[in-house]
Amino acid sequence: MIDYTHDPAAQSWVESAEDHPEFPVQNLPLGVFIPADGDAPRIGTAIGNAILDLKALAATGLLPDALGAALAEPRLNALFALPAATRQTLRHALFELLTDAAQEETVAPHLHPAADCPLTLPFAIGDYTDFYVGIHHARAVGALFRPDNPLLPNYHHVPIGYHGRASSVQVCGAPVFRPNGQTLVPGAIKPTFGPTKRLDYELELGLWVAGANPLGTPVPISTAWERIGGLCLLNDWSARDVQAWEYQPLGPFLAKNFATTVSPWVVTREALEPFRTAPAPRTAGEPDPLPYLRDPADAATGMLAIDLEVRLDTAAMRRAGLPAHLLSRSTTGEAMHWTPAQLVTHHTSGGCNLAPGDLLGTGTLSGRDPAASGSLLELTQGGRNRIELPGDETRTFLEDGDRVTLRAAARREGFRTIGFGTCAGIVLPSPVN
Ligand code: CA
């Protein structure tokens, strides 16, 4: 529910939060940071240019007792295993501490300068699933491979997805090694093995699961949104030449399992309440979802209004001091064909259990306009059109030294804009050839 923590007029006594484009007191994202003195990783919240140490704050008795044990952990899994109502007391307590000037003297000693504190993966990720709900991406990629039949007939019925690889999910800033793999060069009869020549990114959101459903217990659509604890940015790095050779008949494998980068801050479900909106209506001729994926509340406010962007800078651009080049912008409302709740319900509809800290990728979130595409595969039409960059460079796919940075913000008139921080990674050469 929207409440006093979303009041756009609310101000924190942390001065850098006042005009902060991403982390005003209305956001309060959760993450795991390493204090500058090298102490053990601990849970914190971003406020302006600072990080508030929630482990230390809980130890002082300033947070609800029911949260103390979970906040002493070095990951968010235990916190996201708590009942939703208990978790929501954290947002209210933090908001009150950070907006009440009388608390400054007690709380300020637990603030750390964000610039001095590395951020780590927020969860021990048990499982990672990547969906394919960006309909304009699915249509554009389908058209490259099947010009006459870009969108397969199951697309309007099934939230398409596949089970990904949790072990190679890494946090913003970790390097991405160019993977080796099998590819079939056009015109060749036999495949060859070596570094991918078509390394790409995919602009996605990650949904962090909260709570647990036992094996054999589907999550009904009416309560599925409660199972999303928060969101992050997600880059599903992809080797397109490997993908084209290996994906039939079972789908992505090594083309996707070498790296997935997530942003370190978890923007909570509670923070996103003002930005809930109706999903885009299905157009004429598109069938309605089956009843288990339909819910009046989800149809009214099940989508989120989030603006997304991708930027690229190359090693030469950084040496020349050139700013990162904007590759594309898109929005979730236009891109997503299924809501987060529908993803949870479909994922569990056969009885699959989801655990706290499981990660669900949305799939590439491209806009309708080709210029709003969330991957190079689409922006370059399968490598046919070169992208011109500042400094006289061009690209079709990523080269070593290239850095891809994803950003996102939730905006709505009458509310403070909140941001997601960054999700960045630099491509390094293949470690073994
Ligand atoms: Ca993907």
Side-chain angles (χ1 to χ4, degrees), residues 216-236:
T217 311
V219 178
I221 184 75
S222 59
T223 61
W225 171 237
E226 294 170 19
R227 293 297 305 281
I228 303 297
L231 270 64
C232 66
L233 284 157
L234 185 151
N235 183 345
D236 177 26

Side-chain angles (χ1 to χ4, degrees), residues 366-384:
S366 300
R368 191 177 291 107
D369 181 347
S373 294
S375 71
L376 289 173
L377 182 68
E378 296 157 84
L379 286 173
T380 67
Q381 281 290 297
R384 286 197 289 275

Side-chain angles (χ1 to χ4, degrees), residues 94-410:
L94 292 175
F95 184 88
E96 285 155 22
L97 290 171
L98 287 165
T99 52
D100 181 357
Q103 301 286 351
E104 179 173 357
E105 197 177 338
T106 321
V107 175
H110 303 301
L111 289 171
H112 296 246
D116 298 343
C117 302
L119 296 160
T120 71
L121 267 184
F123 293 92
I125 304 167
D127 269 306
Y128 160 48
T129 301
D130 198 22
F131 281 94
Y132 195 58
V133 309
I135 188 169
H136 305 298
H137 170 76
R139 202 174 260 134
V141 172
L144 289 173
F145 295 109
R146 299 178 303 273
D148 300 333
N149 187 23
L151 209 57
L152 294 174
N154 63 358
Y155 194 83
H156 295 299
H157 296 286
V158 182
I160 301 288
Y162 69 98
H163 286 111
R165 182 78 197 165
S167 66
S168 54
V169 177
Q170 54 190 35
V171 77
C172 172
V176 174
F177 295 102
R178 178 178 299 276
N180 294 304
Q182 277 195 34
T183 59
L184 187 68
V185 175
I189 297 166
K190 286 183 179 174
T192 51
F193 182 82
T196 174
K197 295 182 175 66
R198 298 188 136 213
L199 183 60
D200 200 354
Y201 62 84
E202 290 191 336
L203 167 63
E204 306 195 14
L205 284 173
L207 313 174
W208 293 108
V209 170
N213 57 298
L215 189 63
T217 311
V219 178
I221 184 75
S222 59
T223 61
W225 171 237
E226 294 170 19
R227 293 297 305 281
I228 303 297
L231 270 64
C232 66
L233 284 157
L234 185 151
N235 183 345
D236 177 26
W237 303 91
S238 301
R240 300 301 183 191
D241 43 3
V242 178
Q243 187 178 358
W245 171 236
E246 74 171 9
Y247 87 111
Q248 296 185 69
L250 286 183
F253 187 33
L254 305 194
K256 301 275 191 174
N257 77 356
F258 56 94
T260 303
T261 304
V262 293
S263 54
W265 290 113
V266 180
V267 178
T268 65
R269 179 169 67 100
E270 295 80 41
L272 290 166
E273 280 297 324
F275 311 100
R276 299 186 71 191
T277 181
R282 296 204 165 197
T283 56
E286 292 180 359
D288 284 334
L290 290 170
Y292 79 102
L293 291 170
R294 285 208 304 259
D295 175 69
D298 193 54
T301 61
M303 191 52 73
L304 294 162
I306 298 172
D307 297 336
L308 306 147
E309 65 170 50
V310 188
R311 291 178 190 266
L312 171 70
D313 58 0
T314 69
M317 287 169 68
R318 291 193 296 279
R319 278 197 301 274
L322 294 168
H325 176 71
L326 178 69
L327 286 174
S328 67
R329 285 198 172 107
S330 64
T331 64
T332 48
E334 184 180 305
M336 290 177 71
H337 196 57
W338 300 95
T339 66
Q342 286 172 323
L343 302 189
V344 169
T345 291
H346 183 65
H347 200 301
T348 60
S349 60
C352 177
N353 46 338
L354 289 176
D358 281 359
L359 177 62
L360 311 180
T362 55
T364 308
L365 298 177
S366 300
R368 191 177 291 107
D369 181 347
S373 294
S375 71
L376 289 173
L377 182 68
E378 296 157 84
L379 286 173
T380 67
Q381 281 290 297
R384 286 197 289 275
N385 306 328
R386 297 194 76 84
I387 294 170
E388 296 191 6
L389 299 174
D392 286 338
E393 288 183 284
T394 64
R395 287 292 183 274
T396 49
F397 292 95
L398 297 171
E399 296 187 9
D400 295 346
D402 287 359
R403 175 168 59 188
V404 177
T405 303
L406 314 181
R407 299 187 85 95

Side-chain angles (χ1 to χ4, degrees), residues 20 22-23 29-36 38-54 74-76 112-123 169-175 208 232 261-266 407 419-424:
H20 201 279
E22 298 201 293
F23 306 133
L30 300 171
V32 174
F33 73 102
I34 300 171
D39 214 343
R42 73 252 333 263
I43 296 171
T45 190
I47 176 75
N49 293 331
I51 300 174
L52 180 58
D53 181 340
L54 300 192
R75 301 278 189 213
L76 294 173
H112 296 246
D116 298 343
C117 302
L119 296 160
T120 71
L121 267 184
F123 293 92
V169 177
Q170 54 190 35
V171 77
C172 172
W208 293 108
C232 66
T261 304
V262 293
S263 54
W265 290 113
V266 180
R407 299 187 85 95
F420 281 64
T422 57
C423 177

